[in-house]
Amino acid sequence: MTHIPPPAEELRLLDAELWQLDARRAQLLTRRAWLVASLHSVRPVRPALPPAAPRPEASAPRVQNVLLLLGGLLLTIAAIAFTLVSWGHLGIAGRALVLGTVTLAVLAAPVPLLRRRLRSTAESVAGLGLALTVLDAYALHETALPGTDGTGYAAVAAAGLAALWAAYGRGLGALRLPLPAGLVAAQLPLILWADAAGADPYGVATAMLVTAGLDAVLAFGVAAGAVRVTVTAGAYGLGGWGVLTAGWLSWTATGPSAAARAAALLAFAAVIALVAAARLPERAVATGTAIAGGLLLVAAGGGPLRVLLSAGWAVPVHLALGVALCGAVRAPRLPGPVREGLLRASAAVQALALLWAVPLVAVTLPGPLGWAERPWSGGLPDARAAVAVHIPWPPYAGQALLVLVAVAGVLAAVAVRHETWRPQARTGALLLTWAIFLSLPAVLELPYTAALSLVGGVTVAAAFLPTPWLALATSLHLAFLSLATQSATLTVLSALTALGATASRRPRFTPVAAPAALGYATALACATGAAADWQPSHTALLVLCVPVAAALAAGRLGASPATLPVEAAGTAAAVLVLGLAVTDPPMLATVLAACGVIAAGTAARPGRRRAGYAAAVLFLLATWVRLAAWEITTPEAYTLPVAVPALLVGAWRRHRDPLTASWTAYGPGLAAALLPSLAAAWNDPEWTRPLLLGAAALLVTLLGARHRLRAPLVLGGSVLVLDALHELAPYLVQVADALPRWVPPALAGVLLLAVGATYERRIRDVRHVREVLGRMN
């Protein structure tokens, strides 16, 4: 059998093993510290790297180009200075000889440079030569043709220089500068000729557009490169400037002739854009150019008609032309980008027209909200007065309504013919149709009852559409519109309540229709009370039917998605009920109790157990309000209705779960029952409340001691002691007055000495235990 040593021997062995472990640990720690110090003292030596060579910041070709560019610029500046400053010191022969010789020499210099493959230098010298030809043209005008018109001579000179530079570039095919420079010069002749001939803005715009058209033709005839970039930039630049000029002329035209001339310019620009779009290879660029062409066609057609028609018809006319673009898309052999661009241009025109019609909708839809400030004031001549309560009526309302009808028709046609855009087009057409019917009574100035009937019909029709939110928005518009008269309000709210209840039977509409029906029922109850001249507190009883109906409906819905909206609507109605009854305490107590019953019934449903807390709070508030209405000031009347149910709930919880702490089970109830009474007892000069409170606290303390419960024992004992101190306070004061002044300090000193002696004794006991353990080792 295993030998078991005596306890003293076993303890000695354990101490010996522990001492050996401590010694080994100290040895290992010392070795570790030495190794760490050795590693920190040895630092790796990195080999020295040779210094990096300086890196050039610019490449050799870039330096070369910069030098050549600067050289060419300096020579050009010198030539200009010679021409403008030193020209007068020479005679006619000298001037011609010097300038001609220098120009020819410079223009010929690129030939040998190209043979030696100095292309960049040749380009720089050629640029200097082109600048000298400009100076030659200026010098020719100043010496030989001083009396000619400057603008006309500039036009001729620009044409001549353009031809000369183009020929020079063609002769020296290796140079890239002369030909683009000639094309740049070619942008000026037509514009300068028009100005020299005294042309009006129409002529100047024509010259710009013709030049842009020639650039576009040339752009499609050359390969990609600097030449094509130059003519493309010229086409877009001059074309855009010409279009802006033509558009300004069309906008400011006051007569048919001026408008027709501007329209011709816009049509010409549109033709250029559409032809270019048909030949552009890039689809995105071609589509954008076609969009511009389509918009220009609309502007060209709408300008003259705008002048001929009265004010307010400009937008409908342009809209009609924009819609006509959709028909032009069906033209045969029309490229895809052009067709797409025309469609987008038509869509842009329709969008701008809708933006112009927005004020009509912005006034019609929220306009009836103004009746909330002055309901049942009556006296309405027509539907427009009912809508424009606090918002001014917009101008050209009839034309705006026509715009809405036209765009809605286009969207309906798109929804029928195109499957790709069918959902979006159908939604847009539906929204526009809805706005049309709501705006129609005010635009036509129909009678007020006719407007209510029409909007009511729209509401009923919207209730059968797939989207319930449209019906809800229409019903809100109708409800606010009916606030003008009392009879209309009661009739409309009754109809809307019935309509919401009927529509809520459809599962898809229930989450929206059911809360809406409850909301309109609440409004109907308030309106009925106001019509009967009831007090708000009496109207609250009628409104209370709505939370009851909401609780019953939520119970039938179960786990439906509509349950939460219905409960929210019922809760909102209950809050309104409390607000109506707040000025009448007895009625408020009744309403609180009724709401507590509704909450208790809701708490009986699975998943709504937390409503029981709300029910308890409502019942408690009902009790307190009733007591306050009876002018009862005794605090126990308010605390016992809280304490007794809390103690019963705590006892039930302890019965279900015996491990529940007494503070959790009985603490809230006991605190609610004892502490307010204790506070009242300290200020009560009578003896009845302190006696009863002391008896209750004694009973609670005994029960806590009997069942070994901490919460009743602590709370009951504390209240009992404090209550007893309250009763003995006068006598204690008398005793304190009778004692000498030295007694309280003496008692405090004795207490401190006793505490110090106790502390010292405990320290001595701890030392004695440590010494005993040491002797055991």
Side-chain angles (χ1 to χ4, degrees):
M1 297 179 63
T2 304
H3 173 70
I4 300 177
E9 180 65 19
E10 185 178 1
L11 180 61
R12 186 186 64 79
L13 294 175
L14 291 176
D15 289 338
E17 292 291 337
L18 291 174
W19 181 84
Q20 292 179 3
L21 290 175
D22 289 340
R24 181 58 178 168
R25 186 174 183 275
Q27 181 183 1
L28 293 176
L29 289 175
T30 303
R31 180 62 178 175
R32 181 182 181 279
W34 182 85
L35 292 174
V36 170
S38 300
L39 290 176
H40 280 292
S41 61
V42 178
R43 295 181 179 179
V45 180
R46 296 181 179 179
L49 298 177
R55 186 177 182 180
E57 298 181 354
S59 61
R62 181 171 298 179
V63 174
Q64 165 195 303
N65 293 334
V66 170
L67 293 178
L68 292 175
L69 178 62
L70 292 176
L73 289 176
L74 291 176
L75 289 175
T76 303
I77 293 171
I80 294 173
F82 171 77
T83 304
L84 297 178
V85 178
S86 302
W87 185 260
H89 298 288
L90 299 175
I92 294 294
R95 297 172 187 177
L97 181 62
V98 172
L99 193 56
T101 303
V102 172
T103 303
L104 292 176
V106 173
L107 291 175
V111 176
L113 292 175
L114 289 174
R115 292 176 180 175
R116 297 188 178 185
R117 298 180 180 179
L118 299 175
R119 182 173 178 175
S120 299
T121 306
E123 292 279 0
S124 180
V125 174
L128 176 60
L130 299 181
L132 289 176
T133 56
V134 177
L135 295 177
D136 288 337
Y138 169 75
L140 180 62
H141 178 268
E142 293 296 324
T143 56
L145 303 170
T148 58
D149 179 60
T151 306
Y153 177 80
V156 175
L161 290 176
L164 177 63
W165 292 351
Y168 181 69
R170 287 292 184 180
L172 300 177
L175 294 180
R176 292 177 294 182
L177 179 61
L179 193 54
L183 293 174
V184 171
Q187 308 299 312
L188 303 176
L190 288 179
I191 301 173
L192 294 176
W193 277 334
D195 190 15
D200 55 4
Y202 295 93
V204 176
T206 302
M208 292 180 183
L209 293 176
V210 169
T211 305
L214 294 175
D215 288 336
V217 172
L218 187 59
F220 293 111
V222 297
V227 175
R228 185 167 185 178
V229 171
T230 303
V231 293
T232 302
Y236 280 107
L238 288 178
W241 192 255
V243 165
L244 291 177
T245 304
W248 177 78
L249 292 173
S250 177
W251 182 260
T252 57
T254 57
S257 176
R261 294 173 65 187
L265 293 176
L266 292 173
F268 179 54
V271 171
I272 295 175
L274 293 175
V275 172
R279 299 189 60 183
L280 284 171
E282 298 85 358
R283 186 175 184 86
V285 180
T287 303
T289 308
I291 293 174
L295 295 176
L296 289 174
L297 282 178
V298 173
L305 295 177
R306 179 184 58 83
V307 175
L308 295 175
L309 298 175
S310 59
W313 288 98
V315 175
V317 165
H318 286 83
L319 176 61
L321 296 174
V323 174
L325 287 180
C326 296
V329 171
R330 297 184 178 181
R333 299 181 181 179
L334 196 64
V338 177
R339 181 180 289 105
E340 183 180 354
L342 292 178
L343 286 176
R344 293 190 178 185
S346 176
V349 173
Q350 296 178 52
L352 293 175
L354 287 179
L355 187 63
W356 179 77
V358 161
L360 174 62
V361 181
V363 171
T364 303
L365 296 184
L369 293 176
W371 289 110
E373 299 178 358
R374 43 174 182 166
W376 299 354
S377 58
L380 296 177
D382 51 38
R384 182 175 298 182
V387 169
V389 181
H390 61 288
I391 303 177
W393 186 250
Y396 313 123
Q399 292 85 340
L401 183 64
L402 183 60
V403 166
L404 295 177
V405 172
V407 178
V410 172
L411 291 176
V414 172
V416 172
R417 298 177 181 177
H418 299 277
E419 296 183 359
T420 304
W421 297 97
R422 181 170 297 171
Q424 296 85 347
R426 183 182 299 170
T427 302
L430 180 62
L431 291 177
L432 289 178
T433 305
W434 173 71
I436 289 167
F437 277 103
L438 293 186
S439 305
L440 185 62
V443 174
L444 299 180
E445 295 182 288
L446 297 178
Y448 176 65
T449 54
L452 288 178
S453 302
L454 180 59
V455 178
V458 174
T459 305
V460 174
F464 294 95
L465 293 176
T467 55
W469 298 108
L470 199 60
L472 179 61
T474 314
S475 64
L476 288 174
H477 178 81
L478 178 61
F480 281 102
L481 189 64
S482 68
L483 291 178
T485 62
Q486 176 179 322
S487 59
T489 302
L490 296 176
T491 304
V492 168
L493 290 179
S494 301
L496 290 178
T497 303
L499 179 63
T502 304
S504 62
R505 296 180 179 179
R506 300 170 62 184
R508 186 175 181 179
F509 275 49
T510 305
V512 177
L518 293 173
Y520 289 128
T522 303
L524 177 61
C526 295
T528 303
D533 201 15
W534 290 354
Q535 295 294 330
S537 57
H538 294 87
T539 304
L541 293 177
L542 186 60
V543 180
L544 188 62
C545 299
V546 177
V548 174
L552 295 176
R556 293 187 60 183
L557 290 172
S560 172
T563 303
L564 187 60
V566 167
E567 291 176 343
T571 303
V575 173
L576 178 60
V577 170
L578 298 178
L580 292 173
V582 72
T583 57
D584 189 352
M587 186 62 69
L588 179 60
T590 303
V591 168
L592 285 170
C595 292
V597 172
I598 296 173
T602 303
R605 291 165 39 206
R608 294 293 186 269
R609 303 302 184 190
R610 293 185 178 180
Y613 298 107
V617 172
L618 290 171
F619 284 133
L620 178 61
L621 291 176
T623 304
W624 285 356
V625 172
R626 175 59 64 182
L627 293 174
W630 287 338
E631 298 182 357
I632 295 177
T633 58
T634 304
E636 287 77 10
Y638 296 90
T639 58
L640 291 180
V642 180
V644 173
L647 291 174
L648 292 178
V649 171
W652 175 75
R653 184 171 181 180
R654 286 272 300 180
H655 177 71
R656 293 284 302 271
D657 185 9
L659 298 179
T660 303
S662 62
W663 284 107
T664 303
Y666 303 116
L670 292 176
L674 298 176
L675 297 182
S677 297
L678 177 63
W682 273 82
N683 297 320
D684 192 352
E686 301 295 334
W687 59 272
T688 307
R689 178 178 281 111
L691 178 61
L692 295 177
L693 177 63
L698 177 61
L699 178 60
V700 170
T701 304
L702 294 176
L703 289 175
R706 171 69 179 80
H707 296 283
R708 296 181 183 180
L709 299 176
R710 185 175 299 176
L713 188 61
V714 173
L715 286 175
S718 301
V719 172
L720 181 62
V721 172
L722 292 175
D723 186 64
L725 289 177
H726 172 264
E727 295 301 315
L728 295 177
Y731 305 103
L732 293 177
V733 171
Q734 295 178 3
V735 172
D737 292 337
L739 290 176
R741 296 297 181 92
W742 57 268
V743 174
L747 292 177
V750 170
L751 177 62
L752 292 176
L753 288 176
V755 172
T758 303
Y759 186 76
E760 183 181 8
R761 184 180 60 193
R762 292 182 178 179
I763 293 177
R764 184 190 59 192
D765 294 341
V766 170
R767 289 177 179 175
H768 177 68
V769 172
R770 187 175 61 183
E771 290 176 357
V772 171
L773 292 176
R775 286 196 299 270
M776 288 181 181
N777 291 336

